[in-house]
Amino acid sequence: MTIEELERGMKLLFDQQVHFADDIEELRAAQGRTNKQIAELTDTQNVTMKAITTVVAAVGGLAEAQKRTDETVAALARRIDAFIAALGNGHKNPQ
């Protein structure tokens, strides 16, 4: 092997090493961007989960309020039915 061939081989190896180092730097930068995107998505997910938790709690509160309203309306309906029944039986208007 001549000195020129050896120098060409060494230059080729050096160029490949430089290219490899550049590729590694690009990968590091891409990984940094990916990590930032993951962090942003995690933050968004946390906000979304808090919002969902708030909505679920509100719906639970509405369900309880609806249950109380239904019970109140049913009691009122029973009283009105009793009042109407009493009027229909000839009773005087209770005051």
Side-chain angles (χ1 to χ4, degrees):
M1 181 178 284
T2 67
I3 291 186
E4 290 86 19
E5 291 172 337
L6 185 58
E7 285 177 350
R8 267 193 307 247
M10 289 175 62
K11 182 176 181 341
L12 177 63
L13 288 173
F14 178 77
D15 289 345
Q16 287 176 341
Q17 186 64 31
V18 168
H19 183 67
F20 179 73
D22 289 344
D23 288 347
I24 292 293
E25 272 308 307
E26 288 178 24
L27 289 171
R28 283 185 181 142
Q31 185 65 47
R33 290 189 301 273
T34 300
N35 289 345
K36 183 179 178 184
Q37 289 173 338
I38 288 171
E40 290 171 359
L41 289 172
T42 300
D43 290 345
T44 301
Q45 183 180 20
N46 289 338
V47 169
T48 301
M49 290 305 295
K50 286 178 185 177
I52 289 171
T53 301
T54 300
V55 169
V56 168
V59 169
L62 288 173
E64 286 298 317
Q66 184 64 49
K67 182 179 176 183
R68 289 190 303 274
T69 299
D70 290 346
E71 290 169 355
T72 302
V73 168
L76 181 60
R78 285 190 299 274
R79 292 184 76 187
I80 290 172
D81 287 345
F83 180 77
I84 292 172
L87 288 178
N89 290 331
H91 292 268
K92 293 184 179 180
N93 187 2
Q95 293 185 20

